[in-house]
PDB file of all heavy atoms in Angstrom:
ATOM      1  N   GLU A 257      71.935  85.932  67.434  1.00 73.00           N
ATOM      2  CA  GLU A 257      71.659  87.353  67.191  1.00 73.00           C
ATOM      3  C   GLU A 257      72.528  87.934  66.081  1.00 73.00           C
ATOM      4  O   GLU A 257      72.686  89.147  65.970  1.00 73.00           O
ATOM      5  CB  GLU A 257      71.869  88.158  68.476  1.00 73.00           C
ATOM      6  CG  GLU A 257      70.945  87.748  69.602  1.00 73.00           C
ATOM      7  CD  GLU A 257      71.017  88.690  70.782  1.00 73.00           C
ATOM      8  OE1 GLU A 257      72.132  88.985  71.236  1.00 73.00           O
ATOM      9  OE2 GLU A 257      69.953  89.130  71.246  1.00 73.00           O
ATOM     10  N   SER A 258      73.110  87.065  65.256  1.00 70.00           N
ATOM     11  CA  SER A 258      74.012  87.533  64.210  1.00 70.00           C
ATOM     12  C   SER A 258      73.313  88.412  63.181  1.00 70.00           C
ATOM     13  O   SER A 258      73.935  89.267  62.552  1.00 70.00           O
ATOM     14  CB  SER A 258      74.660  86.333  63.508  1.00 70.00           C
ATOM     15  OG  SER A 258      73.663  85.460  62.986  1.00 70.00           O
ATOM     16  N   ALA A 259      71.988  88.219  63.012  1.00 70.00           N
ATOM     17  CA  ALA A 259      71.262  89.003  62.005  1.00 70.00           C
ATOM     18  C   ALA A 259      70.558  90.213  62.599  1.00 70.00           C
ATOM     19  O   ALA A 259      69.831  90.920  61.891  1.00 70.00           O
ATOM     20  CB  ALA A 259      70.244  88.104  61.298  1.00 70.00           C
ATOM     21  N   LYS A 260      70.755  90.468  63.882  1.00 74.00           N
ATOM     22  CA  LYS A 260      70.039  91.565  64.539  1.00 74.00           C
ATOM     23  C   LYS A 260      70.840  92.869  64.498  1.00 74.00           C
ATOM     24  O   LYS A 260      72.032  92.867  64.204  1.00 74.00           O
ATOM     25  CB  LYS A 260      69.711  91.182  65.987  1.00 74.00           C
ATOM     26  CG  LYS A 260      68.716  90.036  66.087  1.00 74.00           C
ATOM     27  CD  LYS A 260      68.338  89.758  67.518  1.00 74.00           C
ATOM     28  CE  LYS A 260      67.292  88.638  67.594  1.00 74.00           C
ATOM     29  NZ  LYS A 260      66.877  88.356  68.969  1.00 74.00           N
ATOM     30  N   VAL A 261      70.159  93.932  64.835  1.00 68.00           N
ATOM     31  CA  VAL A 261      70.773  95.259  64.827  1.00 68.00           C
ATOM     32  C   VAL A 261      71.842  95.324  65.923  1.00 68.00           C
ATOM     33  O   VAL A 261      71.599  94.954  67.061  1.00 68.00           O
ATOM     34  CB  VAL A 261      69.708  96.353  65.066  1.00 68.00           C
ATOM     35  CG1 VAL A 261      70.364  97.739  65.138  1.00 68.00           C
ATOM     36  CG2 VAL A 261      68.669  96.316  63.950  1.00 68.00           C
ATOM     37  N   THR A 262      73.027  95.782  65.555  1.00 68.00           N
ATOM     38  CA  THR A 262      74.114  95.870  66.522  1.00 68.00           C
ATOM     39  C   THR A 262      74.360  97.300  66.995  1.00 68.00           C
ATOM     40  O   THR A 262      75.159  97.524  67.906  1.00 68.00           O
ATOM     41  CB  THR A 262      75.417  95.326  65.909  1.00 68.00           C
ATOM     42  OG1 THR A 262      75.698  96.045  64.701  1.00 68.00           O
ATOM     43  CG2 THR A 262      75.278  93.841  65.580  1.00 68.00           C
ATOM     44  N   THR A 263      73.698  98.240  66.381  1.00 74.00           N
ATOM     45  CA  THR A 263      73.838  99.640  66.794  1.00 74.00           C
ATOM     46  C   THR A 263      72.462 100.224  67.054  1.00 74.00           C
ATOM     47  O   THR A 263      71.643 100.354  66.130  1.00 74.00           O
ATOM     48  CB  THR A 263      74.553 100.468  65.716  1.00 74.00           C
ATOM     49  OG1 THR A 263      75.821  99.870  65.432  1.00 74.00           O
ATOM     50  CG2 THR A 263      74.782 101.893  66.204  1.00 74.00           C
ATOM     51  N   PHE A 264      72.197 100.555  68.294  1.00 73.00           N
ATOM     52  CA  PHE A 264      70.908 101.139  68.681  1.00 73.00           C
ATOM     53  C   PHE A 264      70.948 102.641  68.394  1.00 73.00           C
ATOM     54  O   PHE A 264      71.944 103.296  68.694  1.00 73.00           O
ATOM     55  CB  PHE A 264      70.683 100.893  70.178  1.00 73.00           C
ATOM     56  CG  PHE A 264      69.242 100.722  70.568  1.00 73.00           C
ATOM     57  CD1 PHE A 264      68.743  99.493  70.947  1.00 73.00           C
ATOM     58  CD2 PHE A 264      68.383 101.802  70.542  1.00 73.00           C
ATOM     59  CE1 PHE A 264      67.427  99.335  71.320  1.00 73.00           C
ATOM     60  CE2 PHE A 264      67.055 101.660  70.911  1.00 73.00           C
ATOM     61  CZ  PHE A 264      66.577 100.428  71.292  1.00 73.00           C
ATOM     62  N   PRO A 265      69.866 103.178  67.805  1.00 76.00           N
ATOM     63  CA  PRO A 265      69.831 104.636  67.630  1.00 76.00           C
ATOM     64  C   PRO A 265      69.916 105.338  68.981  1.00 76.00           C
ATOM     65  O   PRO A 265      69.775 104.716  70.027  1.00 76.00           O
ATOM     66  CB  PRO A 265      68.461 104.874  66.965  1.00 76.00           C
ATOM     67  CG  PRO A 265      68.051 103.549  66.425  1.00 76.00           C
ATOM     68  CD  PRO A 265      68.666 102.514  67.305  1.00 76.00           C
ATOM     69  N   GLU A 266      70.169 106.614  68.966  1.00 79.00           N
ATOM     70  CA  GLU A 266      70.266 107.374  70.204  1.00 79.00           C
ATOM     71  C   GLU A 266      68.973 107.227  71.002  1.00 79.00           C
ATOM     72  O   GLU A 266      67.898 107.601  70.545  1.00 79.00           O
ATOM     73  CB  GLU A 266      70.519 108.853  69.909  1.00 79.00           C
ATOM     74  CG  GLU A 266      70.747 109.674  71.168  1.00 79.00           C
ATOM     75  CD  GLU A 266      71.055 111.121  70.854  1.00 79.00           C
ATOM     76  OE1 GLU A 266      71.244 111.442  69.663  1.00 79.00           O
ATOM     77  OE2 GLU A 266      71.104 111.919  71.793  1.00 79.00           O
ATOM     78  N   VAL A 267      69.080 106.627  72.185  1.00 81.00           N
ATOM     79  CA  VAL A 267      67.902 106.273  72.981  1.00 81.00           C
ATOM     80  C   VAL A 267      67.350 107.509  73.676  1.00 81.00           C
ATOM     81  O   VAL A 267      68.075 108.213  74.385  1.00 81.00           O
ATOM     82  CB  VAL A 267      68.251 105.181  74.011  1.00 81.00           C
ATOM     83  CG1 VAL A 267      67.052 104.881  74.898  1.00 81.00           C
ATOM     84  CG2 VAL A 267      68.719 103.920  73.309  1.00 81.00           C
ATOM     85  N   LYS A 268      66.055 107.749  73.475  1.00 84.00           N
ATOM     86  CA  LYS A 268      65.381 108.859  74.151  1.00 84.00           C
ATOM     87  C   LYS A 268      64.695 108.395  75.437  1.00 84.00           C
ATOM     88  O   LYS A 268      64.446 109.201  76.325  1.00 84.00           O
ATOM     89  CB  LYS A 268      64.363 109.490  73.210  1.00 84.00           C
ATOM     90  CG  LYS A 268      65.005 110.116  71.964  1.00 84.00           C
ATOM     91  CD  LYS A 268      63.946 110.678  71.022  1.00 84.00           C
ATOM     92  CE  LYS A 268      64.602 111.286  69.779  1.00 84.00           C
ATOM     93  NZ  LYS A 268      63.588 111.792  68.810  1.00 84.00           N
ATOM     94  N   GLY A 269      64.353 107.098  75.490  1.00 84.00           N
ATOM     95  CA  GLY A 269      63.792 106.570  76.730  1.00 84.00           C
ATOM     96  C   GLY A 269      62.303 106.321  76.715  1.00 84.00           C
ATOM     97  O   GLY A 269      61.686 106.163  77.771  1.00 84.00           O
ATOM     98  N   HIS A 270      61.687 106.242  75.517  1.00 88.00           N
ATOM     99  CA  HIS A 270      60.258 105.914  75.429  1.00 88.00           C
ATOM    100  C   HIS A 270      60.114 104.390  75.512  1.00 88.00           C
ATOM    101  O   HIS A 270      60.486 103.659  74.607  1.00 88.00           O
ATOM    102  CB  HIS A 270      59.674 106.432  74.120  1.00 88.00           C
ATOM    103  CG  HIS A 270      58.214 106.116  73.960  1.00 88.00           C
ATOM    104  ND1 HIS A 270      57.600 106.032  72.733  1.00 88.00           N
ATOM    105  CD2 HIS A 270      57.252 105.853  74.887  1.00 88.00           C
ATOM    106  CE1 HIS A 270      56.313 105.740  72.905  1.00 88.00           C
ATOM    107  NE2 HIS A 270      56.092 105.621  74.204  1.00 88.00           N
ATOM    108  N   VAL A 271      59.563 103.912  76.622  1.00 88.00           N
ATOM    109  CA  VAL A 271      59.452 102.467  76.857  1.00 88.00           C
ATOM    110  C   VAL A 271      57.987 102.060  76.833  1.00 88.00           C
ATOM    111  O   VAL A 271      57.140 102.710  77.466  1.00 88.00           O
ATOM    112  CB  VAL A 271      60.079 102.075  78.213  1.00 88.00           C
ATOM    113  CG1 VAL A 271      59.975 100.569  78.442  1.00 88.00           C
ATOM    114  CG2 VAL A 271      61.536 102.522  78.273  1.00 88.00           C
ATOM    115  N   GLU A 272      57.720 100.963  76.123  1.00 90.00           N
ATOM    116  CA  GLU A 272      56.335 100.499  75.986  1.00 90.00           C
ATOM    117  C   GLU A 272      56.263  98.993  76.222  1.00 90.00           C
ATOM    118  O   GLU A 272      56.977  98.211  75.580  1.00 90.00           O
ATOM    119  CB  GLU A 272      55.815 100.829  74.583  1.00 90.00           C
ATOM    120  CG  GLU A 272      54.384 100.372  74.335  1.00 90.00           C
ATOM    121  CD  GLU A 272      53.966 100.541  72.882  1.00 90.00           C
ATOM    122  OE1 GLU A 272      54.801 101.018  72.076  1.00 90.00           O
ATOM    123  OE2 GLU A 272      52.817 100.195  72.557  1.00 90.00           O
ATOM    124  N   PHE A 273      55.416  98.614  77.171  1.00 88.00           N
ATOM    125  CA  PHE A 273      55.085  97.202  77.381  1.00 88.00           C
ATOM    126  C   PHE A 273      53.740  96.958  76.715  1.00 88.00           C
ATOM    127  O   PHE A 273      52.734  97.569  77.084  1.00 88.00           O
ATOM    128  CB  PHE A 273      54.983  96.883  78.882  1.00 88.00           C
ATOM    129  CG  PHE A 273      56.300  96.900  79.603  1.00 88.00           C
ATOM    130  CD1 PHE A 273      56.854  98.092  80.044  1.00 88.00           C
ATOM    131  CD2 PHE A 273      56.999  95.720  79.838  1.00 88.00           C
ATOM    132  CE1 PHE A 273      58.057  98.124  80.725  1.00 88.00           C
ATOM    133  CE2 PHE A 273      58.208  95.740  80.513  1.00 88.00           C
ATOM    134  CZ  PHE A 273      58.740  96.941  80.953  1.00 88.00           C
ATOM    135  N   ASN A 274      53.725  96.067  75.736  1.00 90.00           N
ATOM    136  CA  ASN A 274      52.514  95.851  74.947  1.00 90.00           C
ATOM    137  C   ASN A 274      52.018  94.417  75.119  1.00 90.00           C
ATOM    138  O   ASN A 274      52.545  93.484  74.511  1.00 90.00           O
ATOM    139  CB  ASN A 274      52.793  96.151  73.467  1.00 90.00           C
ATOM    140  CG  ASN A 274      51.541  96.082  72.617  1.00 90.00           C
ATOM    141  OD1 ASN A 274      50.424  96.167  73.127  1.00 90.00           O
ATOM    142  ND2 ASN A 274      51.723  95.921  71.315  1.00 90.00           N
ATOM    143  N   HIS A 275      51.015  94.227  75.983  1.00 89.00           N
ATOM    144  CA  HIS A 275      50.390  92.917  76.225  1.00 89.00           C
ATOM    145  C   HIS A 275      51.450  91.837  76.514  1.00 89.00           C
ATOM    146  O   HIS A 275      51.468  90.773  75.888  1.00 89.00           O
ATOM    147  CB  HIS A 275      49.519  92.499  75.041  1.00 89.00           C
ATOM    148  CG  HIS A 275      48.388  93.440  74.773  1.00 89.00           C
ATOM    149  ND1 HIS A 275      47.278  93.536  75.577  1.00 89.00           N
ATOM    150  CD2 HIS A 275      48.225  94.356  73.781  1.00 89.00           C
ATOM    151  CE1 HIS A 275      46.452  94.447  75.103  1.00 89.00           C
ATOM    152  NE2 HIS A 275      47.003  94.980  74.018  1.00 89.00           N
ATOM    153  N   VAL A 276      52.324  92.131  77.453  1.00 88.00           N
ATOM    154  CA  VAL A 276      53.431  91.225  77.780  1.00 88.00           C
ATOM    155  C   VAL A 276      52.923  90.076  78.642  1.00 88.00           C
ATOM    156  O   VAL A 276      52.184  90.276  79.608  1.00 88.00           O
ATOM    157  CB  VAL A 276      54.552  91.988  78.517  1.00 88.00           C
ATOM    158  CG1 VAL A 276      55.615  91.023  79.047  1.00 88.00           C
ATOM    159  CG2 VAL A 276      55.190  93.006  77.584  1.00 88.00           C
TER     160      VAL A 276
END
Side-chain angles (χ1 to χ4, degrees):
E257 298 189 310
S258 57
K260 294 184 178 181
V261 177
T262 56
T263 304
F264 212 109
E266 185 177 352
V267 176
K268 297 177 181 178
H270 179 204
V271 181
E272 179 188 0
F273 290 82
N274 186 20
H275 299 288
V276 172

